[in-house]
Amino acid sequence: MANVLRNSAKFGFSGVLSQLSIHSRHGRECVSPCFSLQQRNNSTSPKIKVDLDNSTGVAVLRMQSPPVNSLSLDFLTEFCINLEKLEMDKSCRGLIITSTLSKVFSAGLDIMEMYGKSPERCGEFWKAVQEMWLKLYGSNMATIAAINGSSPAGGCLMSIGCDYRIMADNPRYSIGLNETQLGIVAPFWFKDTLVNTVGNRAAELSLELGLLYSAPDALKIGLVDQLVPEDQVLSTAQDTMSKWLAVPDHARQITKSMMRKQTIDKLLSNSLQTMPDRSPSP
């Protein structure tokens, strides 16, 4: 496992998390990220469920891949396909992303996709991670993350790829890019997205220390935009979306492109440059 972490750091792999470890400490339930070598869920059941309300033009994308919505290759492929379909649907103007799972939005990248795999498989997986971010960060749709649980590492990346973030007001839920705590270096586009969200100094502290922020602390630094009671996360996202869609689409889309184009172009010009030349070994 130590070699996995060292190789992940060397190759710029975001390195995170096939599952969250949910345990009890001093009588309180808490969620902490960890690596697991357990076999990931190979269920053929859909990992993504999308409901589009044609009357409002708003789609709700629900991640439903137990136990913790790990970003496996299958998950990322399904996510990207659904995102592309919505992007091409002229009736869809807004997208809300949330989770059907209790206490977790997404635990981040599935480490098993990089463990003992061929270079070709690793390349395919890493391309899918980049594709997910590119499609989400550059989407013409207004996008809101309805964060109903913990969202470390790759889950945090997905959240800050959206235009707006609403999180459950629960101090036991955490969010952040915590790669350095695992001996891993976050890729430059993770870093750039975080800087664009919270500013350079807050991002520097967050990344160097590998910080996971509680929901209240995430609000303080601007990592999330709003906290609401847990049972109101989705409804608040739907209400908030109406404000975003009150802005003419073309003006909002062009403005979003101006703000994000430089970051997107940087990844496109360096795509797959951080991939390992071999798969990590135990």
Side-chain angles (χ1 to χ4, degrees), residues 23-274:
H23 58 92
S24 176
R25 179 179 297 172
H26 303 306
R28 292 182 59 189
E29 189 174 48
C30 61
V31 181
S32 61
C34 69
F35 283 99
S36 170
L37 297 184
Q38 295 176 0
Q39 185 176 5
R40 66 182 175 86
N41 180 15
N42 289 317
S43 171
T44 58
S45 301
K47 303 179 187 302
I48 302 293
K49 183 178 186 295
V50 176
D51 294 304
L52 172 59
D53 186 336
N54 290 308
S55 65
T56 63
V58 178
V60 177
L61 184 153
R62 293 176 172 86
M63 299 180 287
Q64 52 178 28
S65 182
V68 289
N69 289 328
S70 296
L71 306 184
S72 65
L73 179 57
D74 289 345
F75 182 101
L76 290 165
T77 300
E78 192 173 333
F79 184 93
C80 288
I81 289 172
N82 278 282
L83 208 60
E84 188 170 336
K85 287 180 179 177
L86 292 172
E87 200 76 55
M88 295 173 63
D89 190 332
K90 296 184 184 301
S91 68
C92 184
R93 302 174 59 211
L95 172 65
I96 297 170
I97 300 175
T98 193
S99 167
T100 63
L101 306 182
S102 175
K103 302 181 180 68
V104 62
F105 181 74
S106 170
L109 304 188
D110 188 343
I111 190 63
M112 294 305 295
E113 294 288 3
M114 293 288 286
Y115 181 81
K117 298 296 193 298
S118 68
E120 292 76 18
R121 174 73 179 197
C122 291
E124 184 181 6
F125 173 63
W126 195 239
K127 182 177 179 181
V129 176
Q130 295 179 336
E131 188 72 12
M132 177 274 290
W133 178 83
L134 287 167
K135 288 183 180 298
L136 186 57
Y137 200 63
S139 175
N140 282 323
M141 297 179 287
T143 55
I144 294 178
I147 307 166
N148 57 317
S150 289
S151 189
C156 177
L157 180 73
M158 181 181 289
S159 300
I160 61 179
C162 293
D163 300 321
Y164 196 80
R165 286 158 291 285
I166 300 169
M167 189 169 184
D169 190 3
N170 188 330
R172 292 179 297 179
Y173 295 161
S174 60
I175 183 171
L177 297 177
N178 61 315
E179 281 79 0
T180 54
Q181 288 283 350
L182 304 171
I184 298 162
V185 178
F188 70 85
W189 43 288
F190 281 50
K191 180 268 294 182
D192 289 348
T193 309
L194 186 62
V195 169
N196 293 347
T197 304
V198 301
N200 193 83
R201 181 54 179 160
E204 184 176 32
L205 291 172
S206 175
L207 289 170
E208 287 195 26
L209 297 174
L211 299 178
L212 282 175
Y213 297 90
S214 68
D217 287 341
L219 180 66
K220 288 178 184 178
I221 70 163
L223 189 55
V224 299
D225 300 297
Q226 192 174 350
L227 298 183
V228 299
E230 197 163 343
D231 61 353
Q232 297 177 26
V233 172
L234 182 56
S235 61
T236 302
Q238 291 168 327
D239 291 342
T240 302
M241 181 62 78
S242 64
K243 300 175 184 177
W244 283 79
L245 297 187
V247 178
D249 286 345
H250 70 282
R252 177 185 52 75
Q253 291 165 358
I254 292 171
T255 302
K256 180 177 180 176
S257 177
M258 287 193 301
M259 297 297 295
R260 299 188 173 192
K261 184 177 186 301
Q262 183 176 5
T263 305
I264 291 171
D265 286 349
K266 185 177 177 182
L267 175 59
L268 290 173
S269 66
N270 291 278
S271 183
L272 292 178
Q273 293 303 305
T274 58

